Amino acid sequence: MSKTLSEEFYRLMEQLQEVDFVLVELTLYLDTHPEDYDAIKQFNEFAQKSMVLKQQIETKYGPLQQYGNSYSGYPWNWDQPPWPWQM
Amino acid sequence: MPTNRKYYRPYIGPCDPCPPIRVKSYETPPQLYLGFQPYGLKQFDPSTALRKGTLWPALYAPYTNPYEPREEEE
């Protein structure tokens, strides 16, 4: 994990935050609108986008989550800085 | 959609040491007037949605400052 964080990292993380926020909003919306087909289509589209973004970030900058939600680098590096509040 | 601001006149006691505030106001969120959210509402694009805090402009309700320029209020 590079000590000084590159601009690329921040850009990718911001995109991931945007996509994840849309997913949060759509989840809340779909809880009360289960038959809204367009919203579900949009939800799946953003879920796919989020997976792609996470995969990009994790291959370059290490795992984002733990307990099998992210692949680990070698050596075991999930506890490497930066942590979310240090980014 | 700017939330409509409601006003009320608090009771002013006779022995009130400070100059009384005669009219007070509070913001009411848009979801009170929306009822069941209609389908296919217009959406923000993701980056503004993240900054504004909601995906739907209709539900965007910043707490405007009542003491800012008066003419801003509706």
Side-chain angles (χ1 to χ4, degrees):
Chain A
M1 190 78 125
S2 62
K3 278 301 148 255
T4 59
L5 288 170
S6 63
E7 190 47 43
E8 169 79 7
F9 175 75
Y10 282 108
R11 192 176 54 77
L12 281 174
M13 283 307 285
E14 189 169 356
Q15 276 171 14
L16 181 63
Q17 279 177 292
E18 284 163 8
V19 169
D20 283 354
F21 180 72
V22 170
L23 285 171
V24 164
E25 286 280 300
L26 283 177
T27 309
L28 294 172
Y29 173 78
L30 286 166
D31 287 347
T32 51
H33 299 67
E35 294 91 23
D36 190 337
Y37 180 72
D38 300 334
I40 291 175
K41 205 162 48 155
Q42 185 185 2
F43 180 87
N44 290 329
E45 178 199 315
F46 274 87
Q48 210 271 332
K49 234 185 258 183
S50 172
M51 287 173 209
V52 164
L53 265 172
K54 276 201 194 104
Q55 207 257 337
Q56 270 173 20
I57 293 172
E58 280 170 0
T59 44
K60 245 187 181 172
Y61 297 102
L64 288 171
Q65 292 170 316
Q66 190 35 285
Y67 298 106
N69 294 312
S70 297
Y71 291 112
S72 171
Y74 181 83
W76 186 246
N77 60 349
W78 74 279
D79 55 348
Q80 299 285 333
W83 286 79
W85 58 88
Q86 294 168 322
M87 281 179 191
Chain B
M1 183 189 81
T3 58
N4 15 29
R5 182 170 280 280
K6 297 280 166 53
Y7 297 87
Y8 63 98
R9 292 184 173 282
Y11 170 73
I12 298 160
C15 358
D16 203 345
C18 319
I21 300 173
R22 298 194 182 286
V23 177
K24 284 192 169 179
S25 65
Y26 56 93
E27 287 265 355
T28 49
Q31 61 258 30
L32 297 182
Y33 314 104
L34 208 57
F36 191 73
Q37 186 171 339
Y39 291 83
L41 262 182
K42 194 171 83 64
Q43 293 186 1
F44 283 128
D45 64 286
S47 56
T48 44
L50 184 65
R51 275 154 185 74
K52 295 239 194 248
T54 172
L55 195 54
W56 288 279
L59 296 173
Y60 176 58
Y63 282 103
T64 52
N65 180 346
Y67 306 109
E68 282 296 325
R70 281 272 169 211
E71 66 285 352
E72 231 186 55
E73 290 163 60
E74 73 277 0

mmCIF file with all atom_site columns, all heavy atoms in Angstrom, chain B residues 56-70:
data_model
loop_
_atom_site.group_PDB
_atom_site.id
_atom_site.type_symbol
_atom_site.label_atom_id
_atom_site.label_alt_id
_atom_site.label_comp_id
_atom_site.label_asym_id
_atom_site.label_entity_id
_atom_site.label_seq_id
_atom_site.pdbx_PDB_ins_code
_atom_site.Cartn_x
_atom_site.Cartn_y
_atom_site.Cartn_z
_atom_site.occupancy
_atom_site.B_iso_or_equiv
_atom_site.pdbx_formal_charge
_atom_site.auth_seq_id
_atom_site.auth_comp_id
_atom_site.auth_asym_id
_atom_site.auth_atom_id
_atom_site.pdbx_PDB_model_num
ATOM 1   N N   . TRP B 1 56 ? -33.411 12.276 -4.355 1.00 0.00 ? 56 TRP B N   1
ATOM 2   C CA  . TRP B 1 56 ? -34.544 12.902 -5.016 1.00 0.00 ? 56 TRP B CA  1
ATOM 3   C C   . TRP B 1 56 ? -34.625 14.393 -4.687 1.00 0.00 ? 56 TRP B C   1
ATOM 4   O O   . TRP B 1 56 ? -34.714 14.768 -3.517 1.00 0.00 ? 56 TRP B O   1
ATOM 5   C CB  . TRP B 1 56 ? -35.845 12.218 -4.558 1.00 0.00 ? 56 TRP B CB  1
ATOM 6   C CG  . TRP B 1 56 ? -35.977 10.867 -5.133 1.00 0.00 ? 56 TRP B CG  1
ATOM 7   C CD1 . TRP B 1 56 ? -36.425 10.553 -6.381 1.00 0.00 ? 56 TRP B CD1 1
ATOM 8   C CD2 . TRP B 1 56 ? -35.612 9.609  -4.520 1.00 0.00 ? 56 TRP B CD2 1
ATOM 9   N NE1 . TRP B 1 56 ? -36.368 9.202  -6.580 1.00 0.00 ? 56 TRP B NE1 1
ATOM 10  C CE2 . TRP B 1 56 ? -35.873 8.606  -5.468 1.00 0.00 ? 56 TRP B CE2 1
ATOM 11  C CE3 . TRP B 1 56 ? -35.088 9.249  -3.285 1.00 0.00 ? 56 TRP B CE3 1
ATOM 12  C CZ2 . TRP B 1 56 ? -35.626 7.269  -5.211 1.00 0.00 ? 56 TRP B CZ2 1
ATOM 13  C CZ3 . TRP B 1 56 ? -34.840 7.928  -3.028 1.00 0.00 ? 56 TRP B CZ3 1
ATOM 14  C CH2 . TRP B 1 56 ? -35.116 6.951  -3.983 1.00 0.00 ? 56 TRP B CH2 1
ATOM 15  N N   . PRO B 1 57 ? -34.595 15.254 -5.738 1.00 0.00 ? 57 PRO B N   1
ATOM 16  C CA  . PRO B 1 57 ? -34.704 16.698 -5.483 1.00 0.00 ? 57 PRO B CA  1
ATOM 17  C C   . PRO B 1 57 ? -35.968 17.029 -4.692 1.00 0.00 ? 57 PRO B C   1
ATOM 18  O O   . PRO B 1 57 ? -35.970 17.921 -3.853 1.00 0.00 ? 57 PRO B O   1
ATOM 19  C CB  . PRO B 1 57 ? -34.762 17.296 -6.882 1.00 0.00 ? 57 PRO B CB  1
ATOM 20  C CG  . PRO B 1 57 ? -34.276 16.253 -7.806 1.00 0.00 ? 57 PRO B CG  1
ATOM 21  C CD  . PRO B 1 57 ? -34.458 14.929 -7.161 1.00 0.00 ? 57 PRO B CD  1
ATOM 22  N N   . ALA B 1 58 ? -37.048 16.253 -4.931 1.00 0.00 ? 58 ALA B N   1
ATOM 23  C CA  . ALA B 1 58 ? -38.312 16.591 -4.253 1.00 0.00 ? 58 ALA B CA  1
ATOM 24  C C   . ALA B 1 58 ? -38.146 16.462 -2.740 1.00 0.00 ? 58 ALA B C   1
ATOM 25  O O   . ALA B 1 58 ? -38.829 17.139 -1.980 1.00 0.00 ? 58 ALA B O   1
ATOM 26  C CB  . ALA B 1 58 ? -39.411 15.658 -4.727 1.00 0.00 ? 58 ALA B CB  1
ATOM 27  N N   . LEU B 1 59 ? -37.232 15.610 -2.291 1.00 0.00 ? 59 LEU B N   1
ATOM 28  C CA  . LEU B 1 59 ? -37.098 15.389 -0.847 1.00 0.00 ? 59 LEU B CA  1
ATOM 29  C C   . LEU B 1 59 ? -35.917 16.156 -0.279 1.00 0.00 ? 59 LEU B C   1
ATOM 30  O O   . LEU B 1 59 ? -35.565 15.986 0.878  1.00 0.00 ? 59 LEU B O   1
ATOM 31  C CB  . LEU B 1 59 ? -36.895 13.892 -0.569 1.00 0.00 ? 59 LEU B CB  1
ATOM 32  C CG  . LEU B 1 59 ? -38.076 13.015 -0.956 1.00 0.00 ? 59 LEU B CG  1
ATOM 33  C CD1 . LEU B 1 59 ? -37.719 11.548 -0.794 1.00 0.00 ? 59 LEU B CD1 1
ATOM 34  C CD2 . LEU B 1 59 ? -39.270 13.347 -0.084 1.00 0.00 ? 59 LEU B CD2 1
ATOM 35  N N   . TYR B 1 60 ? -35.303 17.012 -1.119 1.00 0.00 ? 60 TYR B N   1
ATOM 36  C CA  . TYR B 1 60 ? -34.114 17.739 -0.630 1.00 0.00 ? 60 TYR B CA  1
ATOM 37  C C   . TYR B 1 60 ? -34.586 18.865 0.279  1.00 0.00 ? 60 TYR B C   1
ATOM 38  O O   . TYR B 1 60 ? -35.384 19.704 -0.120 1.00 0.00 ? 60 TYR B O   1
ATOM 39  C CB  . TYR B 1 60 ? -33.343 18.292 -1.825 1.00 0.00 ? 60 TYR B CB  1
ATOM 40  C CG  . TYR B 1 60 ? -32.168 19.143 -1.450 1.00 0.00 ? 60 TYR B CG  1
ATOM 41  C CD1 . TYR B 1 60 ? -31.149 18.629 -0.643 1.00 0.00 ? 60 TYR B CD1 1
ATOM 42  C CD2 . TYR B 1 60 ? -32.085 20.466 -1.863 1.00 0.00 ? 60 TYR B CD2 1
ATOM 43  C CE1 . TYR B 1 60 ? -30.068 19.400 -0.303 1.00 0.00 ? 60 TYR B CE1 1
ATOM 44  C CE2 . TYR B 1 60 ? -31.004 21.240 -1.529 1.00 0.00 ? 60 TYR B CE2 1
ATOM 45  C CZ  . TYR B 1 60 ? -30.008 20.701 -0.744 1.00 0.00 ? 60 TYR B CZ  1
ATOM 46  O OH  . TYR B 1 60 ? -28.934 21.480 -0.396 1.00 0.00 ? 60 TYR B OH  1
ATOM 47  N N   . ALA B 1 61 ? -34.127 18.869 1.532  1.00 0.00 ? 61 ALA B N   1
ATOM 48  C CA  . ALA B 1 61 ? -34.644 19.875 2.462  1.00 0.00 ? 61 ALA B CA  1
ATOM 49  C C   . ALA B 1 61 ? -33.508 20.416 3.326  1.00 0.00 ? 61 ALA B C   1
ATOM 50  O O   . ALA B 1 61 ? -33.319 19.930 4.437  1.00 0.00 ? 61 ALA B O   1
ATOM 51  C CB  . ALA B 1 61 ? -35.699 19.241 3.348  1.00 0.00 ? 61 ALA B CB  1
ATOM 52  N N   . PRO B 1 62 ? -32.735 21.378 2.831  1.00 0.00 ? 62 PRO B N   1
ATOM 53  C CA  . PRO B 1 62 ? -31.686 21.952 3.685  1.00 0.00 ? 62 PRO B CA  1
ATOM 54  C C   . PRO B 1 62 ? -32.335 22.849 4.720  1.00 0.00 ? 62 PRO B C   1
ATOM 55  O O   . PRO B 1 62 ? -33.412 23.418 4.486  1.00 0.00 ? 62 PRO B O   1
ATOM 56  C CB  . PRO B 1 62 ? -30.862 22.782 2.701  1.00 0.00 ? 62 PRO B CB  1
ATOM 57  C CG  . PRO B 1 62 ? -31.813 23.150 1.633  1.00 0.00 ? 62 PRO B CG  1
ATOM 58  C CD  . PRO B 1 62 ? -32.800 22.024 1.537  1.00 0.00 ? 62 PRO B CD  1
ATOM 59  N N   . TYR B 1 63 ? -31.737 22.960 5.873  1.00 0.00 ? 63 TYR B N   1
ATOM 60  C CA  . TYR B 1 63 ? -32.288 23.857 6.901  1.00 0.00 ? 63 TYR B CA  1
ATOM 61  C C   . TYR B 1 63 ? -31.840 25.260 6.564  1.00 0.00 ? 63 TYR B C   1
ATOM 62  O O   . TYR B 1 63 ? -30.725 25.648 6.856  1.00 0.00 ? 63 TYR B O   1
ATOM 63  C CB  . TYR B 1 63 ? -31.782 23.433 8.286  1.00 0.00 ? 63 TYR B CB  1
ATOM 64  C CG  . TYR B 1 63 ? -32.536 22.246 8.805  1.00 0.00 ? 63 TYR B CG  1
ATOM 65  C CD1 . TYR B 1 63 ? -31.967 20.986 8.779  1.00 0.00 ? 63 TYR B CD1 1
ATOM 66  C CD2 . TYR B 1 63 ? -33.831 22.368 9.287  1.00 0.00 ? 63 TYR B CD2 1
ATOM 67  C CE1 . TYR B 1 63 ? -32.656 19.878 9.227  1.00 0.00 ? 63 TYR B CE1 1
ATOM 68  C CE2 . TYR B 1 63 ? -34.536 21.272 9.740  1.00 0.00 ? 63 TYR B CE2 1
ATOM 69  C CZ  . TYR B 1 63 ? -33.935 20.017 9.710  1.00 0.00 ? 63 TYR B CZ  1
ATOM 70  O OH  . TYR B 1 63 ? -34.628 18.936 10.147 1.00 0.00 ? 63 TYR B OH  1
ATOM 71  N N   . THR B 1 64 ? -32.727 26.019 5.934  1.00 0.00 ? 64 THR B N   1
ATOM 72  C CA  . THR B 1 64 ? -32.331 27.392 5.564  1.00 0.00 ? 64 THR B CA  1
ATOM 73  C C   . THR B 1 64 ? -32.309 28.244 6.830  1.00 0.00 ? 64 THR B C   1
ATOM 74  O O   . THR B 1 64 ? -33.060 27.987 7.770  1.00 0.00 ? 64 THR B O   1
ATOM 75  C CB  . THR B 1 64 ? -33.366 27.974 4.589  1.00 0.00 ? 64 THR B CB  1
ATOM 76  O OG1 . THR B 1 64 ? -34.656 27.808 5.195  1.00 0.00 ? 64 THR B OG1 1
ATOM 77  C CG2 . THR B 1 64 ? -33.328 27.245 3.274  1.00 0.00 ? 64 THR B CG2 1
ATOM 78  N N   . ASN B 1 65 ? -31.457 29.273 6.804  1.00 0.00 ? 65 ASN B N   1
ATOM 79  C CA  . ASN B 1 65 ? -31.318 30.105 7.995  1.00 0.00 ? 65 ASN B CA  1
ATOM 80  C C   . ASN B 1 65 ? -32.374 31.212 7.917  1.00 0.00 ? 65 ASN B C   1
ATOM 81  O O   . ASN B 1 65 ? -32.319 32.045 7.026  1.00 0.00 ? 65 ASN B O   1
ATOM 82  C CB  . ASN B 1 65 ? -29.896 30.687 7.997  1.00 0.00 ? 65 ASN B CB  1
ATOM 83  C CG  . ASN B 1 65 ? -29.678 31.563 9.207  1.00 0.00 ? 65 ASN B CG  1
ATOM 84  O OD1 . ASN B 1 65 ? -30.626 31.937 9.891  1.00 0.00 ? 65 ASN B OD1 1
ATOM 85  N ND2 . ASN B 1 65 ? -28.423 31.885 9.444  1.00 0.00 ? 65 ASN B ND2 1
ATOM 86  N N   . PRO B 1 66 ? -33.319 31.260 8.848  1.00 0.00 ? 66 PRO B N   1
ATOM 87  C CA  . PRO B 1 66 ? -34.385 32.260 8.751  1.00 0.00 ? 66 PRO B CA  1
ATOM 88  C C   . PRO B 1 66 ? -33.870 33.679 8.914  1.00 0.00 ? 66 PRO B C   1
ATOM 89  O O   . PRO B 1 66 ? -34.485 34.629 8.470  1.00 0.00 ? 66 PRO B O   1
ATOM 90  C CB  . PRO B 1 66 ? -35.341 31.887 9.890  1.00 0.00 ? 66 PRO B CB  1
ATOM 91  C CG  . PRO B 1 66 ? -34.515 31.100 10.838 1.00 0.00 ? 66 PRO B CG  1
ATOM 92  C CD  . PRO B 1 66 ? -33.455 30.424 10.033 1.00 0.00 ? 66 PRO B CD  1
ATOM 93  N N   . TYR B 1 67 ? -32.682 33.795 9.542  1.00 0.00 ? 67 TYR B N   1
ATOM 94  C CA  . TYR B 1 67 ? -32.198 35.153 9.806  1.00 0.00 ? 67 TYR B CA  1
ATOM 95  C C   . TYR B 1 67 ? -31.332 35.679 8.681  1.00 0.00 ? 67 TYR B C   1
ATOM 96  O O   . TYR B 1 67 ? -30.859 36.789 8.720  1.00 0.00 ? 67 TYR B O   1
ATOM 97  C CB  . TYR B 1 67 ? -31.408 35.171 11.123 1.00 0.00 ? 67 TYR B CB  1
ATOM 98  C CG  . TYR B 1 67 ? -32.231 34.608 12.244 1.00 0.00 ? 67 TYR B CG  1
ATOM 99  C CD1 . TYR B 1 67 ? -31.925 33.371 12.792 1.00 0.00 ? 67 TYR B CD1 1
ATOM 100 C CD2 . TYR B 1 67 ? -33.357 35.278 12.711 1.00 0.00 ? 67 TYR B CD2 1
ATOM 101 C CE1 . TYR B 1 67 ? -32.703 32.834 13.791 1.00 0.00 ? 67 TYR B CE1 1
ATOM 102 C CE2 . TYR B 1 67 ? -34.142 34.751 13.710 1.00 0.00 ? 67 TYR B CE2 1
ATOM 103 C CZ  . TYR B 1 67 ? -33.805 33.525 14.253 1.00 0.00 ? 67 TYR B CZ  1
ATOM 104 O OH  . TYR B 1 67 ? -34.566 32.993 15.240 1.00 0.00 ? 67 TYR B OH  1
ATOM 105 N N   . GLU B 1 68 ? -31.111 34.790 7.690  1.00 0.00 ? 68 GLU B N   1
ATOM 106 C CA  . GLU B 1 68 ? -30.352 35.253 6.524  1.00 0.00 ? 68 GLU B CA  1
ATOM 107 C C   . GLU B 1 68 ? -31.214 36.267 5.778  1.00 0.00 ? 68 GLU B C   1
ATOM 108 O O   . GLU B 1 68 ? -32.282 36.645 6.264  1.00 0.00 ? 68 GLU B O   1
ATOM 109 C CB  . GLU B 1 68 ? -30.033 34.053 5.630  1.00 0.00 ? 68 GLU B CB  1
ATOM 110 C CG  . GLU B 1 68 ? -28.874 33.211 6.150  1.00 0.00 ? 68 GLU B CG  1
ATOM 111 C CD  . GLU B 1 68 ? -27.561 33.981 6.179  1.00 0.00 ? 68 GLU B CD  1
ATOM 112 O OE1 . GLU B 1 68 ? -27.357 34.797 5.278  1.00 0.00 ? 68 GLU B OE1 1
ATOM 113 O OE2 . GLU B 1 68 ? -26.790 33.791 7.128  1.00 0.00 ? 68 GLU B OE2 1
ATOM 114 N N   . PRO B 1 69 ? -30.794 36.687 4.562  1.00 0.00 ? 69 PRO B N   1
ATOM 115 C CA  . PRO B 1 69 ? -31.600 37.690 3.851  1.00 0.00 ? 69 PRO B CA  1
ATOM 116 C C   . PRO B 1 69 ? -33.076 37.319 3.838  1.00 0.00 ? 69 PRO B C   1
ATOM 117 O O   . PRO B 1 69 ? -33.438 36.214 3.474  1.00 0.00 ? 69 PRO B O   1
ATOM 118 C CB  . PRO B 1 69 ? -31.021 37.704 2.436  1.00 0.00 ? 69 PRO B CB  1
ATOM 119 C CG  . PRO B 1 69 ? -30.018 36.615 2.375  1.00 0.00 ? 69 PRO B CG  1
ATOM 120 C CD  . PRO B 1 69 ? -29.613 36.302 3.769  1.00 0.00 ? 69 PRO B CD  1
ATOM 121 N N   . ARG B 1 70 ? -33.890 38.231 4.286  1.00 0.00 ? 70 ARG B N   1
ATOM 122 C CA  . ARG B 1 70 ? -35.324 37.979 4.481  1.00 0.00 ? 70 ARG B CA  1
ATOM 123 C C   . ARG B 1 70 ? -35.981 37.575 3.175  1.00 0.00 ? 70 ARG B C   1
ATOM 124 O O   . ARG B 1 70 ? -36.807 36.682 3.131  1.00 0.00 ? 70 ARG B O   1
ATOM 125 C CB  . ARG B 1 70 ? -36.002 39.270 4.980  1.00 0.00 ? 70 ARG B CB  1
ATOM 126 C CG  . ARG B 1 70 ? -35.762 39.492 6.465  1.00 0.00 ? 70 ARG B CG  1
ATOM 127 C CD  . ARG B 1 70 ? -36.850 38.792 7.266  1.00 0.00 ? 70 ARG B CD  1
ATOM 128 N NE  . ARG B 1 70 ? -36.489 38.768 8.697  1.00 0.00 ? 70 ARG B NE  1
ATOM 129 C CZ  . ARG B 1 70 ? -36.863 37.785 9.494  1.00 0.00 ? 70 ARG B CZ  1
ATOM 130 N NH1 . ARG B 1 70 ? -37.567 36.794 9.008  1.00 0.00 ? 70 ARG B NH1 1
ATOM 131 N NH2 . ARG B 1 70 ? -36.548 37.778 10.756 1.00 0.00 ? 70 ARG B NH2 1
#
